[in-house]
């Protein structure tokens, strides 16, 4: 059905705000796909769309595929430095240990992509720049201390083994199961102790360990490689942010449907403020006429959706249609929340200190009551402690061959432990809230360190009794409210 009217949609940013005034209509562009957000999701979306339409051997000046059709793609990113990006502020982890099969499959595809990123992100055959995403396959280790937790790990393990990788990346044969599915191993306390002699297993019922395909990588290197590759395939990048939109509104459509028939509600164009000045005031506003819009704004995607969905009528009055109000009927349940990640250093000169003097104590505060030595982890997988949810992992680039600690002595020619680790925990639910001011990211939640993180670390790894906080990094994490 042909729309009977087209109503422009704008936010208060188009009228008057603390960012200043902005004018619309000075220039227009037409693109097939406009992607809002230039982080990993936006870059990956652009990469795969460009690859599908153009093939892998297109040059930057050729936007037509072999069939003569074209697909223009533009990414709008407010901060190309990614100073406040959730990705660059994160610990850069990847795992297949999920309870939902689809999540496992998506992560398997990501695993294979990271393994082959140096090849997939090459601009051309003679490209001498190597994209190294520093994929450290040192695994995730989930621990259960109760029967209920143990049963959950077993159920999750069955889901994980049932999933297989899809897509064109494929595996590289490094996994014990031909590189296709998840390589997750369930381990009882004795197996955990042999594999990780530094771990207190006295209260552990079961562990789930990713032997390969899990670990961490450098988000910045991945984003840089994706952006470079996208640019070579004709993707355009614009520094700016959306301030309004024009949507299709069919008067004859049923008011009981938010989408309606005949494209009711579809975005026809997006107004993007560009050339922001030093005072944060918007400069020129460019209207992008679009066929498709992708909201890849991460933690801020709900605000972007509100921008696209609300505004004024054609004559400048507020749109009173209930589906086009400022407040969405079905808002996206995602918001930015603060997470503090602490970088700590553990004393590596603890040299097999005896704990026999405390072995007779029944206090639950003394970890590893039956152990004779304190071992500093040479390499720790991203380990998630039961009950508290405190996590920690080694930090730095360590070859997989040098990381094994199972039934090995320290004097075997391998490099000594670096003693560097990352750790953190999600705040308690009663104080975990959305952040409205990014300045909140400039300080750490040291109370969490004192009250929750350090006690849990010391209990799980006795060597962490001698650690110091070197610095902290902050993450404006993406959080889905419906997962509470």
């Amino acid at each position: 059905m042909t729309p009977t009217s087209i109503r422009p949609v704008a936010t208060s940013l188009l009228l008057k705000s603390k960012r200043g005034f902005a004018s619309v209509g000075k220039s227009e562009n037409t693109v097939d796909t406009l992607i809002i957000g230039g982080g990993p999701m936006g870059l990956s979306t652009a990469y795969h769309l460009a690859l599908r339409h153009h093939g892998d051997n297109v040059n930057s000046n050729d936007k037509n595929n072999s069939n003569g059709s074209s697909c223009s793609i533009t990414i709008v990113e407010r901060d190309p430095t990614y100073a406040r990006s959730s990705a660059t502020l994160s610990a850069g982890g990847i795992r297949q240990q999920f309870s939902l099969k689809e999540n496992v499959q998506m992560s398997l595809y990501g695993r294979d992509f990271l393994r082959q990123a140096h090849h997939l992100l090459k601009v051309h055959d003679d490209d001498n720049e190597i994209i190294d995403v520093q994929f450290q396959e040192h695994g995730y280790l989930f621990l259960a201390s109760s029967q209920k937790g143990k049963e959950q790990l077993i159920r999750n393990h069955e889901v994980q083994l049932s999933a297989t990788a899809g897509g064109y990346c494929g595996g590289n044969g490094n996994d014990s199961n031909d590189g296709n599915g998840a390589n997750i191993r369930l381990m009882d306390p004795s197996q955990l102790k042999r594999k990780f002699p530094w771990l207190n297993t006295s209260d552990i019922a079961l562990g789930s360990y990713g032997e390969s395909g899990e670990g961490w990588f450098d988000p910045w290197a991945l984003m840089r490689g994706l952006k470079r590759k996208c640019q070579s395939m004709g993707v355009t990048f614009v520094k700016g942010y959306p301030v309004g939109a024009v949507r299709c509104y069919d008067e004859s459509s049923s008011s009981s449907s938010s989408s309606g028939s005949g494209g009711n509600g579809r975005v026809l164009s997006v107004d993007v403020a560009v050339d922001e000045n030093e005072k944060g005031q918007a400069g020129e506003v460019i209207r992008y006429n679009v066929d498709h819009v992708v909201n890849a704004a991460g933690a801020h995607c709900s605000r972007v959706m509100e921008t696209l969905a609300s505004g004024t009528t054609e004559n400048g009055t507020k749109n009173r249609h209930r589906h086009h109000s400022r407040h969405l009927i079905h808002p996206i349940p995602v918001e930015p929340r603060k997470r503090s990640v602490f970088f700590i250093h553990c004393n590596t000169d603890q040299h097999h200190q005896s704990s026999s003097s405390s072995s007779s104590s029944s206090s639950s505060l003394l970890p590893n009551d039956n152990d004779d030595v304190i071992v500093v982890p040479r390499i720790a997988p991203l380990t998630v402690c039961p009950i508290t949810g405190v996590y920690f992992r080694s930090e730095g680039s360590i070859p997989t061959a040098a990381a094994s600690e199972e039934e090995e002595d320290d004097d075997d020619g391998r490099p000594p432990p670096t003693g560097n680790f990352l750790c953190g925990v999600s705040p308690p639910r009663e104080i975990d809230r959305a952040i409205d001011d990014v300045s909140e990211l400039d300080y750490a939640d040291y109370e969490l360190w004192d009250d929750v993180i350090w006690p849990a670390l010391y209990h799980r790894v006795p060597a962490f009794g001698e650690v110091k906080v070197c610095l902290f990094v902050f993450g404006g994490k993406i959080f889905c409210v419906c997962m509470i």
Side-chain angles (χ1 to χ4, degrees):
M1 180 182 298
T2 303
T4 57
S5 65
I6 296 177
R7 299 188 175 187
V9 180
T11 69
S12 58
L13 287 173
L14 274 178
L15 304 176
K16 183 179 181 181
S17 71
K18 64 180 180 179
R19 305 194 67 85
F21 292 90
S23 58
V24 180
K26 288 187 176 181
S27 60
E28 292 190 11
N29 285 330
T30 297
V31 296
D32 294 296
T33 302
L34 184 73
I35 300 173
I36 301 173
M41 294 303 298
L43 290 169
S44 179
T45 300
Y47 168 83
H48 286 89
L49 283 175
L51 200 63
R52 179 177 180 180
H53 286 276
H54 303 310
D56 197 24
N57 296 317
V58 67
N59 62 56
S60 59
N61 297 319
D62 181 12
K63 296 186 178 181
N64 296 324
N65 62 18
S66 58
N67 296 323
S69 61
S70 64
C71 177
S72 56
I73 303 169
T74 294
I75 291 180
V76 175
E77 170 55 44
R78 187 169 196 156
D79 179 18
T81 68
Y82 301 109
R84 297 292 191 181
S85 168
S86 296
T88 56
L89 298 177
S90 73
I94 179 174
R95 59 184 168 99
Q96 289 85 55
Q97 295 191 60
F98 293 99
S99 59
L100 187 65
K101 184 176 181 179
E102 290 78 5
N103 283 346
V104 181
Q105 291 173 323
M106 286 190 290
S107 184
L108 287 170
Y109 181 85
R111 173 203 68 184
D112 295 339
F113 190 95
L114 290 176
R115 285 175 172 173
Q116 301 186 41
H118 63 284
H119 168 70
L120 296 172
L121 300 182
K122 286 188 66 173
V123 171
H124 49 74
D125 292 339
D126 298 328
D127 186 8
N128 294 323
E129 182 169 351
I130 299 176
I131 300 298
D132 184 6
V133 298
Q134 294 288 311
F135 187 17
Q136 305 284 302
E137 297 190 44
H138 298 308
Y140 270 60
L141 175 62
F142 286 87
L143 300 172
S145 59
S146 65
Q147 182 63 28
K148 181 179 179 181
K150 177 179 179 179
E151 292 172 355
Q152 183 65 59
L153 287 183
I154 293 174
R155 288 193 297 270
N156 292 351
H157 187 251
E158 293 173 353
V159 173
Q160 292 151 15
L161 294 187
S162 69
T164 56
Y168 68 89
C169 283
N172 66 356
N174 287 345
D175 290 352
S176 60
N177 49 11
D178 297 326
N180 192 32
N183 186 20
I184 312 299
R185 175 187 174 190
L186 294 179
M187 306 174 73
D188 62 31
S190 62
Q191 292 172 318
L192 287 169
K193 196 61 181 178
R194 286 196 299 270
K195 180 68 177 177
F196 309 108
W198 42 264
L199 187 69
N200 172 22
T201 60
S202 61
D203 58 345
I204 297 300
L206 190 68
S208 180
Y209 172 56
E211 295 192 297
S212 66
E214 294 188 323
W216 50 93
F217 61 96
D218 184 350
W220 173 258
L222 176 63
M223 292 165 65
R224 180 177 178 276
L226 280 169
K227 183 174 183 178
R228 186 168 174 266
K229 180 67 173 180
C230 285
Q231 288 173 322
S232 74
M233 294 191 289
V235 176
T236 301
F237 288 80
V238 174
K239 179 184 178 182
Y241 55 95
V243 294
V246 173
R247 295 174 63 197
C248 172
Y249 176 54
D250 188 352
E251 297 281 4
S252 65
S253 297
S254 171
S255 61
S256 63
S257 172
S258 60
S259 59
S261 60
N264 186 28
R266 184 172 69 88
V267 176
L268 302 177
S269 66
V270 178
D271 297 324
V272 177
V274 298
D275 297 329
E276 189 176 69
N277 63 25
E278 295 180 356
K279 296 181 179 180
Q281 295 174 323
E284 181 186 10
V285 173
I286 300 177
R287 174 160 293 173
Y288 286 87
N289 301 312
V290 299
D291 288 333
H292 307 282
V293 177
V294 178
N295 184 353
H300 306 285
C301 63
S302 185
R303 293 181 181 178
V304 168
M305 187 60 71
E306 288 179 350
T307 298
L308 299 179
S310 63
T312 61
T313 60
E314 197 166 17
N315 61 10
T317 61
K318 290 185 177 180
N319 191 336
R320 298 183 181 277
H321 194 280
R322 69 185 187 95
H323 295 304
H324 297 223
S325 64
R326 177 66 178 172
H327 300 287
L328 300 173
I329 295 177
H330 303 292
I332 300 176
V334 174
E335 58 188 14
R337 295 192 178 186
K338 179 178 176 178
R339 296 293 184 267
S340 294
V341 182
F342 294 88
F343 176 80
I344 62 175
H345 181 76
C346 177
N347 178 15
T348 59
D349 297 324
Q350 299 183 50
H351 297 307
H352 293 194
Q353 299 172 11
S354 174
S355 60
S356 59
S357 60
S358 62
S359 62
S360 60
S361 173
S362 60
S363 173
S364 61
L365 296 178
L366 294 175
N368 266 6
D369 290 342
N370 298 320
D371 286 353
D372 294 327
V373 298
I374 291 180
V375 180
V376 178
R378 187 184 306 276
I379 179 73
L382 196 151
T383 305
V384 183
C385 301
I387 303 177
T388 63
V390 170
Y391 68 88
F392 63 90
R393 69 160 173 84
S394 292
E395 171 63 1
S397 179
I398 303 176
T400 302
S404 177
E405 296 180 275
E406 188 170 4
E407 297 179 349
E408 294 281 359
D409 296 325
D410 288 338
D411 301 326
D412 58 0
R414 294 174 299 165
T418 65
N420 296 329
F421 301 88
L422 292 183
C423 60
V425 70
S426 295
R429 186 174 300 181
E430 59 269 18
I431 65 172
D432 193 12
R433 59 178 178 80
I435 58 173
D436 298 319
D437 187 352
V438 294
S439 66
E440 294 185 45
L441 299 179
D442 293 335
Y443 61 90
D445 294 326
Y446 284 105
E447 288 186 3
L448 280 178
W449 166 259
D450 293 333
D451 299 339
V452 181
I453 298 175
W454 185 78
L457 292 180
Y458 175 52
H459 174 73
R460 192 56 54 205
V461 183
F464 285 164
E466 297 187 26
V467 296
K468 63 179 179 180
V469 177
C470 298
L471 52 85
F472 74 94
V473 294
F474 37 80
K477 293 292 187 178
I478 299 172
F479 193 91
C480 184
V481 178
C482 64
M483 293 177 64
I484 290 181

